[in-house]
Amino acid sequence: MARILVTGGAGYIGSHCSRMLLERGDDVVVLDDLSTGHAESVACELVVGDIRDEVVVRKTLARGFDGVIHFAAKALVGESVSSPALYADVNVRGTELLARCAAGTGVRAFVFSSSCSIYGTPKTTPVDEDAPKAPESPYGESKWAAEQVLAGADVPSACLRYFNAAGAHPDGSLGESHDPETHLIPLALDAVMGRRPPLKLFGRDYPTPDGTCVRDYIHVQDLARAHLRALDMLLGGHPGGAWNLGTGRGTSVLELIHAVERVTGRAVPYEDAPRRTGDPAAVWARVDRAEHDLGWRAQHTAIDAVVEDAWRWAQARRF
Ligand code: UDP
């Protein structure tokens, strides 16, 4: 049994990861300021606090942890464009402070929530970990800067670069709940249920087979499992590194809409809209490195299975 501090453990991916750690018997404490997370999704001790508050961070870490999994971050691309200083402060300075404080307390593993947005528009797909880093938003820049901070920190770190996190816990008890919601799958499901206006399909004139953007939708349970693998590897003495987490397969927006229609048995109300600024045409992951080093590969590779879990959550969500 390990003692693990999970920052941002009340959020979408952090809550699934915390649950998985608890299920295997680890001792978990969540540190979350609840600015976007939900206390209802935390099944262990919750310390309500900001990762930029050195007093809270030091006091929490002083209780003794083997590892830190760091999800707490600002994660809206559009907001990062209007408030870049906030993204630098929370995502970069916050990560630096947390890693610096953790290093002096016996923490032997630091797992970091990074993002494929650090690659910007990749020149080739699938995109591998050595592809040029060309983030196109302050959000992506902040994740890349935080990775570089961790590369120089005094604690071994694993930077996990997520592609498009999707799905929900199969038992329907946890799932995606953002305000504002900007992600395709929850928006499409809400449109099906009449909770929102018709989905806007952002661009049909991309250089892709059907003209719509292609993304790599990775199930949140697969992401959570990868964090456990990375954590265990670092605790076992691995020096750390960076890994892509995706399925290795792309799905277009139209294919996704069709999957939602198959799963729900209803038509998705949608309308064509102009391209959304900053959306690359096609991004999907090369995942060989995670397979080789972490012994991990996505299990939920069928897009319908991912949408089924998201649909179960969308119908019964409690928060
Ligand atoms: N998308 C869309 N309508 C929406 C939201 C998203 O057409 O209301 C498209 C978006 O252009 C992108 C894909 O869906 O190609 C996934 O977008 P999302 O915001 O879920 O994730 P991103 O890839 O931007 O991180």
Side-chain angles (χ1 to χ4, degrees):
M1 182 194 79
R3 274 181 62 74
I4 309 300
L5 178 66
V6 180
T7 75
Y12 172 41
I13 307 167
S15 61
H16 286 78
C17 187
S18 305
R19 170 83 66 88
M20 208 173 268
L21 289 166
L22 289 165
E23 281 169 358
R24 74 172 191 179
D26 283 348
D27 193 0
V28 182
V29 174
V30 164
L31 172 63
D32 197 302
D33 69 359
L34 298 182
S35 56
T36 55
H38 305 274
E40 300 95 314
S41 68
V42 179
C44 59
E45 182 185 340
L46 167 65
V47 177
V48 179
D50 189 319
I51 52 156
R52 293 167 296 172
D53 183 339
E54 188 160 348
V55 174
V56 170
V57 167
R58 285 199 182 280
K59 195 172 155 197
T60 307
L61 284 166
R63 294 167 51 185
F65 292 95
D66 302 299
V68 173
I69 307 185
H70 177 37
F71 294 100
K74 304 297 288 178
L76 292 172
V77 171
E79 182 186 55
S80 80
V81 173
S82 54
S83 306
L86 176 67
Y87 277 65
D89 197 50
V90 176
N91 294 1
V92 188
R93 191 176 70 84
T95 301
E96 188 278 326
L97 189 150
L98 188 63
R100 176 163 43 80
C101 296
T105 62
V107 166
R108 294 174 288 125
F110 194 104
V111 181
F112 176 60
S113 167
S114 189
S115 161
C116 68
S117 63
I118 69 172
Y119 302 116
T121 302
K123 290 205 168 51
T124 54
T125 41
V127 58
D128 68 32
E129 288 85 350
D130 297 326
K133 311 305 178 294
E136 286 167 9
S137 69
Y139 167 69
E141 283 167 12
S142 73
K143 288 289 177 182
W144 176 228
E147 283 203 15
Q148 291 167 292
V149 163
L150 291 174
D154 290 327
V155 57
S157 62
C159 297
L160 303 182
R161 299 172 180 162
Y162 317 152
F163 282 65
N164 286 58
H169 198 286
D171 74 5
S173 64
L174 294 173
E176 197 165 0
S177 177
H178 299 119
D179 184 18
E181 187 54 77
T182 61
H183 294 122
L184 178 61
I185 296 175
L187 289 175
L189 292 172
D190 276 357
V192 160
M193 288 189 288
R195 282 187 187 157
R196 292 179 195 267
L199 179 76
K200 288 190 180 344
L201 196 170
F202 294 142
R204 272 186 185 263
D205 57 349
Y206 283 98
T208 59
D210 66 18
T212 66
C213 288
V214 174
R215 295 288 181 273
D216 186 339
Y217 296 91
I218 174 80
H219 197 290
V220 64
Q221 289 287 88
D222 281 327
L223 289 180
R225 213 162 35 79
H227 287 72
L228 271 57
R229 299 286 308 169
L231 175 76
D232 291 345
M233 210 168 70
L234 296 179
L235 290 175
H238 191 282
W243 290 273
N244 282 346
L245 298 182
T247 64
R249 285 197 15 235
T251 302
S252 75
V253 176
L254 271 178
E255 286 171 337
L256 204 288
I257 288 172
H258 294 144
V260 170
E261 296 187 331
R262 282 192 299 273
V263 168
T264 63
R266 304 185 205 170
V268 175
Y270 71 89
E271 57 195 33
D272 289 334
R275 290 182 177 196
R276 188 170 65 176
T277 311
D279 272 343
V283 187
W284 71 93
R286 190 176 178 103
V287 290
D288 309 33
R289 192 184 286 183
E291 286 186 14
H292 181 267
D293 296 351
L294 304 179
W296 170 93
R297 71 159 68 197
Q299 292 175 348
H300 305 255
T301 48
I303 193 66
D304 285 24
V306 174
V307 172
E308 268 165 31
D309 286 339
W311 176 228
R312 192 173 306 110
W313 166 250
Q315 292 173 101
R317 56 190 267 191
R318 295 174 296 115
F319 51 85

